[in-house]
Amino acid sequence: MKNIWKKIVVFLLCGAMLFAAACKENEQTGDGTQENEVTFDIWSKSAAVNVQKDVVYGEDFKGDMEYGVSGGRGEYEAAQLILTAGSDRAISSYTLETADLKNGENVIGKEYIDVYNEKYIEVISTPAQYSTGLGWYADALLPFDTAVSYGENKVAAGENQGIYIEVFIPRDAAAGVYTGKFTLTVDGEKYDVPASVTVYDFEVSRESHLQTDWIVNLMGFGELDNTPEMQRKYFEAVAGFRASTHSMTMGTTDPDEWMETVRIYTNPNLKDEDGNPLIGEKEFYLGQINLPSGFAASRAPAGGINYTIFDNYISRLVRASVEDQYDYLAKTGCYMGFIDEPHWNNTWDKVNSVSADFEARKEYWVNVLADADTETIAAKAGLSEEETAAFAAAFSDCSSEFLAALTESMSLVGNYITSTVDSRLDPDVSRQFCIGTGSLDSARDEEALADWTDRKISGNWWYAAGESLFGNRLDSSRLEQRLSQWFTNDVGAKGYLIWEVAQYQQITYNAAAGANSYEPCDAYSLARRISNAAGDGYIFYPGKPYGIEGPVSSIRAHQYRESHEEYEYFYLLEELYSAAGYSADAVLSKIFKTLYNNNRVTEDESLFFAQREQVINLILLAQKGVFVTDYTEWNAQAKMEVVSAGEE
């Protein structure tokens, strides 16, 4: 008997997670006579599909009255239950009660299931070329109990109303299909809603490997509250979507307090005295530490960075890295808004000057680490004499390999410039980019990026604004948000930026002043708050109007989180393939290219879920030692080349 590698060719049929259409019109007694006329429909739809309030949908669009999702352990999965009121009769009230879901003796408790009432916002105009149309879009997700207490659990005659149901699959859940029944009560009548969750035998990493920057600067307009407590609420809310806030904004300007929160939210090795993680079961370790920064206008030739701010935070990251034996610098980078979009602002000299200063200060810290200058680190971190001695001892206990890796991480701390490569930039200092999606998916742009600098970098990012691909538009297919991190993996980017997630005001350009003006608005009624697109600039809503301390999330935010989770699918798949000496790039590339191209994203939910199932199948096969190395053709039936580990 000996181990060998076997090569075989197989055919895999594309599967699809589809919701069969059904429309309930009446209930009948056993003898076929009508007992109670039902003047509404109850049906389902994937959470990845828009269901507008004012659109009449055909039966082929509607799914059965059921809740059905699937996923790996440790991820959120959602679907929509839709109520459609009769054309001549409104629904005065409805409620939904969830229940435990069971698979033999295994249980997913109802405490893992969240229910939201979908709140609609009207898109009355759009400049987007690929708009899915004007009308009322479901977006804000009110906790269901809140919607009931505010009397919003009702449906006007002829309209649709969505209930968003989301399960968090416990990390200790056994693989299998969990079933049960939810109870929907409509105007006093109760209806059983079949519910199922398919748990696949793999775990979505609790540690996020996607780099992110969700900027939260403008929430004060809607919350009427910009206190440290409210800022902390927004930080925690964003972290709950596997994303980092800009400068890790968390309601404190104290760098030591900042560092303590960074440690808790980014280091999976930290445990309490009982050996438990420092964050909750449904929380995640973030993949990005966004460094606070400041502009120093006096630094020649056209400005630089504030060294005091830079040193305050870098010194604490170095100290924590040494004491925790965890490389926080490997997760660190920053986007500096004061050198934003030079192609629009004509600030090329400023970008080069600031970038050169940023690189110079990085080099200063590289030398501090290389020289083992613990006194300088301690002084910058404000350590006491006793703390300095303890830090020096901890530093001396570090292995040379760890210190070398930490030093290299310092040299790779990213400055993400929101621009494409451009001859007006200096490639020796302006090294890393956050590129608009329109300039990141063509061979010409990718080649220019690859040839830009011969200096090692930690990776580039992307961003979308206005009607750009994978943006925040309300009137886009939700698959734009859902496929956003498929795109990230596909183009080899490391992360992405959202320029604002809580824009609770209307922004208009004042030509006379040469600047934007900001006017408070009703964030639940004004969809287009900037000229570029409806939905751009916000994926949260203020909680204050509903007595909620913190933001109200949106369907778009939830779809981004599901996309973040699917990014972890690819990360896991690549780890499995790499460990066996293979690459998943060829097969994933073929899958990606069926879902989007340079200017369009598929609106075919069946295709998306079929390809998602294919990726899950690839993970399950790889865990068993079976590796798909390429498609040899692509059509309704996928012919793949498969390599498996076996014995003869």
Side-chain angles (χ1 to χ4, degrees):
M1 302 287 288
K2 62 179 181 178
N3 290 327
I4 65 168
W5 293 103
K6 299 176 183 177
K7 180 177 286 190
I8 59 176
V9 176
V10 300
F11 288 83
L12 294 183
L13 292 177
C14 295
M17 180 164 49
L18 297 173
F19 295 84
C23 178
K24 184 174 181 179
E25 295 180 349
N26 56 59
E27 293 185 350
Q28 295 182 334
T29 62
D31 61 5
T33 60
Q34 182 173 306
E35 184 177 76
N36 292 311
E37 183 181 3
V38 179
T39 58
F40 54 86
D41 287 349
I42 308 170
W43 48 286
S44 66
K45 199 66 181 174
S46 158
V49 177
N50 284 315
V51 178
Q52 293 181 244
K53 181 171 73 171
D54 54 345
V55 173
V56 177
Y57 293 99
E59 296 308 307
D60 59 344
F61 183 84
K62 300 176 181 179
D64 289 341
M65 183 181 69
E66 64 181 9
Y67 172 74
V69 296
S70 64
R73 292 185 290 270
E75 70 174 312
Y76 286 91
E77 286 299 327
Q80 301 173 99
L81 197 63
I82 309 295
L83 292 172
T84 300
S87 60
D88 59 352
R89 185 181 299 183
I91 296 172
S92 61
S93 71
Y94 58 90
T95 58
L96 181 72
E97 183 180 350
T98 62
D100 294 347
L101 303 178
K102 299 180 180 180
N103 174 11
E105 295 182 353
N106 301 311
V107 178
I108 296 178
K110 64 180 182 180
E111 66 271 18
Y112 288 98
I113 304 169
D114 295 316
V115 181
Y116 302 92
N117 206 55
E118 297 181 3
K119 191 172 177 65
Y120 296 81
I121 187 167
E122 187 178 17
V123 176
I124 60 175
S125 65
T126 178
Q129 180 181 3
Y130 298 113
S131 172
T132 51
L134 306 181
W136 292 87
Y137 284 84
D139 195 45
L141 292 178
L142 284 180
F144 199 83
D145 289 345
T146 300
V148 171
S149 66
Y150 278 79
E152 296 195 10
N153 57 327
K154 56 189 177 183
V155 190
E159 293 186 348
N160 304 308
Q161 173 62 53
I163 302 172
Y164 197 92
I165 308 169
E166 187 172 59
V167 63
F168 177 81
I169 301 175
R171 295 191 177 275
D172 60 356
V177 180
Y178 293 72
T179 60
K181 290 184 178 179
F182 299 161
T183 302
L184 178 68
T185 303
V186 182
D187 288 339
E189 294 290 331
K190 295 183 182 296
Y191 302 87
D192 288 337
V193 179
S196 68
V197 175
T198 299
V199 180
Y200 294 110
D201 195 15
F202 70 94
E203 183 172 351
V204 176
S205 173
R206 193 170 187 179
E207 182 178 8
S208 299
H209 298 94
L210 177 71
Q211 298 176 358
T212 49
D213 187 345
W214 286 16
I215 300 178
V216 182
N217 284 337
L218 303 175
M219 52 48 163
F221 283 87
E223 297 291 1
L224 305 179
D225 182 350
N226 200 30
T227 61
E229 292 75 18
M230 183 59 71
Q231 292 178 35
R232 178 72 185 203
K233 290 286 186 183
Y234 272 75
F235 165 78
E236 291 172 349
V238 171
F241 287 90
R242 287 183 172 262
S244 301
T245 53
H246 186 57
S247 299
M248 301 294 281
T249 305
M250 56 188 67
T252 180
T253 56
D254 179 79
D256 290 318
E257 185 178 345
W258 178 91
M259 187 65 238
E260 187 59 27
T261 301
V262 166
R263 291 174 70 245
I264 292 169
Y265 276 89
T266 62
N267 186 348
N269 301 328
L270 297 179
K271 302 289 190 291
D272 65 18
E273 58 186 15
D274 297 320
N276 298 315
L278 300 181
I279 59 177
E281 180 184 10
K282 298 180 182 180
E283 295 179 297
F284 313 99
Y285 297 104
L286 304 177
Q288 175 70 10
I289 300 169
N290 289 310
L291 195 65
S293 60
F295 179 59
S298 61
R299 207 174 308 283
I305 65 169
N306 184 308
Y307 284 0
T308 300
I309 294 175
F310 189 88
D311 292 351
N312 274 343
Y313 292 95
I314 288 294
S315 62
R316 284 157 174 83
L317 288 164
V318 170
R319 179 195 181 189
S321 295
V322 168
E323 293 179 346
D324 294 348
Q325 287 291 287
Y326 184 81
D327 187 355
Y328 293 100
L329 293 177
K331 289 186 173 183
T332 300
C334 70
Y335 152 70
M336 294 182 283
F338 46 83
I339 54 171
D340 186 49
E341 295 185 327
H343 51 287
W344 292 114
N345 301 315
N346 196 29
T347 51
W348 304 102
D349 290 344
K350 182 179 180 181
V351 172
N352 284 326
S353 181
V354 169
S355 297
D357 204 31
F358 185 86
E359 293 300 319
R361 202 56 178 175
K362 279 168 51 179
E363 187 64 25
Y364 166 85
W365 276 98
V366 165
N367 291 330
V368 167
L369 286 168
D371 294 341
D373 187 354
T374 56
E375 289 189 4
T376 293
I377 299 169
K380 298 293 185 183
L383 302 188
S384 67
E385 184 176 340
E386 183 179 354
E387 290 171 329
T388 299
F391 172 71
F395 195 97
S396 65
D397 287 340
C398 291
S399 68
S400 58
E401 292 80 8
F402 176 80
L403 292 175
L406 188 65
T407 302
E408 180 174 18
S409 293
M410 183 67 243
S411 72
L412 297 177
V413 170
N415 159 30
Y416 298 99
I417 301 168
T418 46
S419 170
T420 59
V421 297
D422 191 283
S423 61
R424 289 165 288 189
L425 293 175
D426 179 355
D428 199 43
V429 295
S430 300
R431 302 179 192 169
Q432 297 191 156
F433 297 92
C434 182
I435 302 175
T437 51
S439 298
L440 197 60
D441 196 30
S442 72
R444 183 189 64 186
D445 292 319
E446 291 179 11
E447 182 179 356
L449 192 60
D451 295 341
W452 174 248
T453 179
D454 58 3
R455 304 291 292 271
K456 187 175 181 180
I457 63 172
S458 60
N460 295 303
W461 287 15
W462 63 264
Y463 76 106
E467 59 180 296
S468 300
L469 201 64
F470 304 113
N472 301 336
R473 288 179 291 114
L474 285 162
D475 57 318
S476 68
S477 166
R478 282 187 195 159
L479 288 173
E480 284 207 27
Q481 291 93 49
R482 187 64 178 264
L483 285 166
S484 59
Q485 306 321 314
W486 297 55
F487 174 77
T488 300
N489 185 275
D490 185 18
V491 299
K494 298 299 182 183
Y496 76 111
L497 164 77
I498 299 182
W499 69 271
E500 180 61 57
V501 299
Q503 181 195 336
Y504 300 152
Q505 71 286 307
Q506 186 172 21
I507 301 176
T508 46
Y509 181 71
N510 187 319
N516 289 326
S517 63
Y518 298 79
E519 297 294 333
C521 70
D522 179 354
Y524 286 94
S525 65
L526 184 64
R528 188 173 165 189
R529 304 175 197 172
I530 194 168
S531 61
N532 290 1
D536 194 21
Y538 63 95
I539 56 174
F540 291 108
Y541 292 79
K544 190 71 73 177
Y546 286 96
I548 297 172
E549 290 298 315
V552 168
S553 62
S554 69
I555 295 176
R556 290 173 295 146
H558 286 248
Q559 289 302 296
Y560 273 125
R561 178 168 62 193
E562 294 208 25
S563 191
H564 293 183
E565 292 167 345
E566 286 152 3
Y567 183 90
E568 298 302 326
Y569 285 13
F570 308 131
Y571 189 89
L572 172 60
L573 194 62
E574 288 159 0
E575 280 193 322
L576 292 168
Y577 272 61
S578 178
Y582 294 100
S583 171
D585 290 347
V587 64
L588 287 178
S589 178
K590 296 287 179 63
I591 290 174
F592 294 148
K593 292 303 184 263
T594 68
L595 297 169
Y596 49 79
N597 59 28
N598 285 355
N599 59 4
R600 291 302 300 270
V601 172
T602 183
E603 296 180 19
D604 184 345
E605 62 166 318
S606 300
L607 176 61
F608 168 73
F609 282 111
Q611 299 298 53
R612 179 176 178 268
E613 291 293 316
Q614 290 283 41
V615 175
I616 289 170
N617 287 334
L618 291 172
I619 292 172
L620 298 176
L621 286 171
Q623 289 182 152
K624 296 179 183 298
V626 180
F627 302 93
V628 179
T629 57
D630 198 10
Y631 284 100
T632 55
E633 63 178 87
W634 174 258
N635 47 37
Q637 187 167 298
K639 185 177 180 182
M640 301 179 182
E641 186 172 286
V642 176
V643 178
S644 67
E647 291 187 344
E648 185 175 82

